Amino acid sequence: MAGPRVEVDGSIMEGGGQILRVSTALSCLLGLPLRVQKIRAGRSTPGLRPQHLSGLEMIRDLCDGQLEGAEIGSTEITFTPEKIKGGIHTADTKTAGSVCLLMQVSMPCVLFAASSSELHLKGGTNAEMAPQIDYTVMVFKPIAEKFGFKFNCDIKTRGYYPKGGGEVIVRVSPVKQLNPINLTDRGYVTKIYGRAFVAGVLPFKVAKDMAAAAVRCIRKEIRDLYVNIQSVQEPKDQAFGNGNGIIIIAETSTGCLFAGSSLGKRGVNADKVGIEAAEMLLANLRHGGTVDEYLQDQLIVFMALANGVSRIKTGPVTLHAQTAIHFAEQIAKAKFIVKKSEDEEDASKDTYIIECQGIGMTNPNL
């Protein structure tokens, strides 16, 4: 079934691992052979890092494909996909590389597999430069499931920077097709809740301090809502290494979800971590969109595959979202239109509608 190779320049736009994730997922789904060149060319450590490599190997295994040039530091790979199958698959970054990014690349593929899949993803669950696993479960999951699929995410062990060592088991059943989504009605904020955690040797007081500082910060702007942030000491047998962080979610009357999150680093006081997460959440609530800045790009591939027209309302369109759109158009031939929102209440804000005519991908196995 191999046609001409799709050629992808890995150095343009976002220029990082995301190009690799989007293009290999679409290549796998559409059965299109792929070559990606100049991988992460402009980064301080160019080429494939361990987490990118484990993501690629996982996609290869999902479809019994062929992968060439895939080693640490490599700036060019070729991938020839075969038929996507279900079953049990393991990907281990062997670092604090994010399990959430492994999930991003594999999730669209396993939806179109021949049978149910169980993905054992190992690495960092709460790691820098990636969504925290709590974000994936609390925000991404309920919104992504609007496309008409269900998945289960079982957090076995949490792992933090720099050691990783976390494990998440994701179970997914295949679908015949994805439904388009229409997320354009923001509603009003009905509740705010969250989770502040410490793991390993860090004192519980750190979790309480992060939560308290976050609540104080939110109170300044949103006075009439109870903010329920739980402080959690991760159980010793369910966390590897030391870490602390916080995630805060705002839910609206129409079921939209927004988040702000932050991870502790050595030498950064707990209040500052809490305030950073709160400020991120408030910024995401100001722009009038129905999704936060981190969900934008994660929905693009699903919109591209869905059967019909999807619309989401966003704040400023992120470089990650623009990159995902570019490759969804180039590889999957989906059609996207990004335009300024014309609603009166959005007139003074930086609010956009991302519209996509999906390709109506059908699962050949069902």
Side-chain angles (χ1 to χ4, degrees), residues 198-232:
V198 289
V201 299
L202 293 163
F204 186 55
K205 180 182 186 307
V206 169
K208 295 214 286 227
D209 288 350
M210 288 187 296
V215 171
R216 284 196 303 273
C217 182
I218 291 168
R219 277 265 183 286
K220 287 184 196 149
E221 203 156 315
I222 300 175
R223 291 186 187 80
D224 49 351
L225 278 181
Y226 174 61
V227 181
N228 180 18
I229 301 176
Q230 289 179 307
S231 302
V232 183

Side-chain angles (χ1 to χ4, degrees), residues 5 20 24 33-37 39 48 53 56-57 60 65-72 74-81:
R5 276 197 191 281
L20 214 51
T24 44
L34 173 76
R35 177 161 58 189
V36 187
Q37 299 179 69
I39 295 168
L48 295 175
L53 187 55
L56 284 173
E57 289 170 340
R60 175 198 65 198
Q66 276 137 13
L67 183 59
E68 287 147 55
E71 54 206 49
I72 305 289
S74 166
T75 57
E76 182 176 327
I77 58 113
T78 58
F79 173 56
T80 311

Side-chain angles (χ1 to χ4, degrees), residues 139-149 151 181 295 299 302:
V139 178
F140 171 78
K141 182 182 188 307
I143 303 298
E145 287 181 343
K146 292 180 190 288
F147 285 102
F149 65 89
F151 71 95
I181 61 168
L295 199 55
L299 299 178
F302 299 102

